[in-house]
């Protein structure tokens, strides 16, 4: 098939950037903004998306739907799209690009396939696309050749076979390292504050692990704005590991760390702006509450 119209659900930070890149390449990009926030609406308008009045119209008028959401919403969106497919009698291609486990991807594949759609398992690695940078979309499943049509249009599509779940597995393992490491670093900083050794640890890290400390400083500025989105991703990674016979406890713990960040004072942008790493760690340590530190 030749893709001319791509639907983005939903134009958040990643979705809007992907849609904007595809639009620059000459494709028509659409979305449905029912029940979406004003922030999402502004993103859509800024990126030049055409708004469909409802989900049925979006499905009927699209060659390919890219689902780019927080993991917790992936299943519900797939079910809504599947209902629209049945109502419209159309077998639209649907790429689940969310950070979900291979098991979750398999369930979504069944939902879409049973509605007559073509399922594509996709995993996004990297930041939002820019003029000088193409985000990588790992892709697997029987419909992978459809997503490959977007390769070079602001994104890079990396096919990894016709078995659904492989792309999600790559995403899970990759994020287990990157975001899992961010959780570990956050946890050790909280512990250092509560144990009264932050300054000594900071001095040692600057002496022997300066690059790591500087990355921790950099990531701490972004973490408050993304922690709530990463909770579900860590839970999906835990499920992935458990199904593979590997302990899920690392990333269940990581989910708890991100949950702590999301409910701390750092979640307020007015508080987190321009904080140094020590002050951020102190605020997170305060959020732990009255739980005594380890002896």
């Amino acid at each position: 098939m030749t893709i001319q119209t791509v639907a983005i659900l939903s134009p958040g930070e990643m979705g809007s950037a992907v849609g904007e890149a595809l639009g620059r390449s000459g494709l028509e990009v659409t979305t449905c903004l029912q029940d979406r926030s004003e922030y999402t609406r502004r993103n859509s308008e800024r990126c030049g998306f055409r708004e469909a009045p409802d989900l049925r119209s979006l499905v009927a008028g699209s060659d390919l739907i890219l689902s780019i959401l927080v993991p917790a919403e992936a299943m519900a969106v797939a079910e809504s799209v599947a209902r629209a497919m049945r109502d419209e009698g159309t077998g639209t291609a649907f790429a689940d690009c969310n950070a979900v486990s291979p098991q979750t991807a398999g369930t979504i594949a069944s939902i879409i396939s049973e509605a007559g759609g073509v399922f594509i398992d996709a995993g996004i690695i990297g930041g939002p696309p820019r003029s000088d940078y193409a985000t990588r979309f790992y892709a697997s499943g029987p419909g992978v050749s459809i997503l490959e049509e977007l390769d070079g249009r602001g994104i890079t599509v990396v096919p990894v076979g016709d078995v659904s779940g492989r792309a999600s597995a790559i995403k899970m393992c990759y994020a287990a390292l990157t975001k899992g490491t961010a959780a570990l670093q956050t946890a050790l900083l909280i512990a250092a504050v509560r144990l009264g050794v932050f300054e000594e640890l900071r001095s040692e890290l600057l002496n022997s692990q300066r690059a790591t400390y500087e990355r921790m400083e950099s990531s701490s500025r972004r973490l408050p704005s993304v922690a709530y989105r990463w909770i579900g991703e860590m839970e999906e990674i835990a499920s992935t590991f458990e199904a593979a016979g590997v302990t899920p406890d690392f990333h269940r713990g990581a989910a708890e760390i991100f949950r702590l960040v999301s409910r701390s004072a750092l979640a307020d942008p007015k508080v987190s702006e321009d904080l140094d790493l020590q002050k951020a760690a102190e605020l997170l340590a305060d959020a732990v509450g009255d739980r005594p530190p380890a002896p």
Side-chain angles (χ1 to χ4, degrees), residues 93-173:
F94 179 92
D96 183 87
C97 309
N98 302 301
V100 298
S101 68
Q103 304 93 279
T104 299
T107 301
I108 293 174
S110 296
I111 291 169
I112 295 299
S113 298
E114 288 169 7
V118 179
F119 178 76
I120 305 156
D121 172 39
I124 300 175
I125 291 183
R130 306 183 302 268
S131 59
D132 61 343
Y133 171 78
T135 307
R136 293 177 303 289
F137 279 60
Y138 284 81
S140 63
V144 68
S145 62
I146 299 172
L147 192 63
E148 283 188 271
E149 290 192 40
L150 303 186
D151 186 54
R153 292 177 173 268
I155 67 173
T156 298
V157 178
V158 184
V160 290
D162 58 4
V163 177
S164 291
R166 288 177 56 80
S168 288
I170 292 169
K171 170 65 177 179
M172 291 288 92
C173 292

Side-chain angles (χ1 to χ4, degrees), residues 36-263:
R36 304 306 301 184
S37 68
E38 186 58 33
Y39 170 80
T40 302
R41 289 183 177 276
R42 288 197 302 269
N43 265 352
S44 176
E45 292 173 5
R46 176 180 57 81
C47 296
F49 293 6
R50 177 173 63 81
E51 182 180 352
D54 52 47
L55 195 56
R56 287 181 60 172
S57 300
L58 182 81
V59 168
S62 303
D63 300 314
L64 170 63
I65 299 169
L66 301 182
S67 175
I68 305 176
L69 306 145
V70 294
E73 297 177 10
M75 193 78 71
V77 164
E79 290 170 344
S80 295
V81 169
R83 284 194 296 271
M85 286 182 184
R86 285 191 290 268
D87 290 342
E88 291 296 316
T90 181
T92 311
F94 179 92
D96 183 87
C97 309
N98 302 301
V100 298
S101 68
Q103 304 93 279
T104 299
T107 301
I108 293 174
S110 296
I111 291 169
I112 295 299
S113 298
E114 288 169 7
V118 179
F119 178 76
I120 305 156
D121 172 39
I124 300 175
I125 291 183
R130 306 183 302 268
S131 59
D132 61 343
Y133 171 78
T135 307
R136 293 177 303 289
F137 279 60
Y138 284 81
S140 63
V144 68
S145 62
I146 299 172
L147 192 63
E148 283 188 271
E149 290 192 40
L150 303 186
D151 186 54
R153 292 177 173 268
I155 67 173
T156 298
V157 178
V158 184
V160 290
D162 58 4
V163 177
S164 291
R166 288 177 56 80
S168 288
I170 292 169
K171 170 65 177 179
M172 291 288 92
C173 292
Y174 184 88
L177 172 65
T178 55
K179 295 168 186 174
T181 298
L184 173 61
Q185 291 170 342
T186 302
L188 70 89
L189 291 174
I190 295 170
V193 169
R194 288 176 61 81
L195 293 166
V197 296
F198 185 92
E199 283 295 340
E200 291 83 355
L201 177 65
R202 176 179 182 276
S203 177
E204 178 56 40
L205 289 172
L206 287 172
N207 179 59
S208 61
Q209 300 283 338
R210 177 173 290 273
T212 297
Y213 185 83
E214 289 174 351
R215 284 195 296 272
M216 290 163 68
E217 278 190 314
S218 177
S219 65
S220 71
R221 299 186 187 98
R222 182 170 182 259
L223 186 59
S225 67
V226 298
Y228 79 98
R229 300 205 311 256
W230 290 0
I231 296 168
E233 190 165 342
M234 294 302 102
E235 292 170 341
E236 290 288 327
I237 291 170
S239 295
T240 302
F241 276 32
E242 190 166 35
V246 179
T247 179
D249 292 340
F250 289 116
H251 294 89
R252 285 177 180 162
E256 183 56 33
I257 291 296
F258 293 139
R259 193 172 286 111
L260 174 69
V261 175
S262 69
R263 67 173 184 247

